[in-house]
């Protein structure tokens, strides 16, 4: 079945550690996105990519990094520079072009301990 | 001003009621519009795309008003299972095709 897979579902990080969240899709989508959601809030864009080896900062990129070495994969690293990383992280993918919706992974819930 | 704005609610309605949500967007050149549904602690899922001519899917009707820059979602005959957060989404106008989400409107349908 085609879809988008995020792992792990739950992740615990100690202060000062970097952690990497995985996002893989087999939908043959060019565009991929990372969003952060805090309790009771909407989705805020961290990074997005339209094509392999290219990505752009979203509204809250500070403290995060990404790579897009393969079309299928768009991992997100939460660095120690991100001071308040506890949140629900959602990865999405879509075709490029107007009129095409995005599909989401099931999310990763990151907690700093 | 936020790029996409929604009334956060919550809207608390009885079963069988009709409820409407509005969403406004700031960029008049925006291309594509969607409504997503998000259940508690789950990922958003597409409810429906919004077309210029308006579109209907069962009990759900979506409309776009480009002149006033707002999108609406109408839910008729509300069911308990409609309880969720409804997210308005606008797709960017430049080559980035960035997806911009509203903060969501929470709907509670009571028996």
């Amino acid at each position: 079945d085609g879809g988008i897979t995020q792992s792990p579902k739950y992740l615990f990080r100690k202060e000062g550690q970097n952690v990497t969240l995985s996002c893989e899709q087999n939908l043959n989508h060019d565009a991929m996105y990372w969003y952060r959601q805090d309790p009771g809030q909407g989705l805020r864009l961290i990074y997005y990519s339209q094509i392999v080896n290219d990505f752009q900062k979203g509204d809250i990129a500070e403290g995060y990094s990404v790579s897009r070495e393969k079309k299928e994969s768009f991992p997100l690293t939460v660095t120690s520079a991100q001071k308040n990383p506890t949140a629900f992280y959602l990865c999405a993918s879509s075709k490029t072009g107007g009129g095409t919706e995005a599909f989401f992974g099931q999310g990763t819930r990151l907690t700093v301990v | 001003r936020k790029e996409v704005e929604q009334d956060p609610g919550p809207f608390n309605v009885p079963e069988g009621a009709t409820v409407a949500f509005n969403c406004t967007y700031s960029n008049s050149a925006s291309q594509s519009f969607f409504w997503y549904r998000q259940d508690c602690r789950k990922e958003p899922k597409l409810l429906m795309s919004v077309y210029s001519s308006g579109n209907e899917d069962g009990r759900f009707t979506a409309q776009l008003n480009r002149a006033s820059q707002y999108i609406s979602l109408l839910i008729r005959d509300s069911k308990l299972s409609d309880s969720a957060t409804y997210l308005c989404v606008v797709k960017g106008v430049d080559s980035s095709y960035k997806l911009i989400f509203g903060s969501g409107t929470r709907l509670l349908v009571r028996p």
Side-chain angles (χ1 to χ4, degrees), chain A residues 33 35 37 41-43 45 48 50 88 90 94-102 104-106 109, chain B residues 3 31-32 34 36 38 41-44 46 49 87 91 95-104:
Chain A
Y33 313 81
Y35 293 89
Q37 188 174 36
Q41 304 295 315
L43 278 68
L45 183 64
Y48 61 105
Q50 293 185 89
F88 188 40
L90 288 156
S94 74
K95 295 179 182 178
T96 51
T100 54
E101 71 272 24
F104 283 85
Q106 291 186 307
R109 205 164 291 278
Chain B
E3 292 182 86
Q31 292 184 350
S32 309
F34 309 92
Y36 277 72
Q38 186 176 27
R41 300 176 72 84
K42 299 284 190 180
E43 76 276 19
L46 179 70
S49 302
L87 300 165
K91 203 164 193 181
S95 59
S96 71
Y97 298 109
K98 187 170 66 172
L99 288 169
I100 305 164
F101 282 76
S103 297

Side-chain angles (χ1 to χ4, degrees), chain B residues 5-70:
Chain B
E5 293 200 71
Q6 294 182 250
D7 181 342
F11 284 61
N12 191 325
V13 302
E15 268 189 294
T18 295
V19 61
F21 307 138
N22 287 330
C23 166
T24 58
Y25 59 96
S26 60
N27 194 323
S28 60
S30 296
Q31 292 184 350
S32 309
F33 310 90
F34 309 92
W35 282 102
Y36 277 72
R37 170 191 169 129
Q38 186 176 27
D39 292 295
C40 189
R41 300 176 72 84
K42 299 284 190 180
E43 76 276 19
K45 293 186 178 178
L46 179 70
L47 180 65
M48 57 198 308
S49 302
V50 186
Y51 303 122
S52 297
S53 56
N55 48 305
E56 188 174 308
D57 182 2
R59 297 182 294 109
F60 299 86
T61 301
Q63 292 193 314
L64 168 64
N65 185 320
R66 285 192 182 271
S68 301
Q69 293 177 219
Y70 80 79

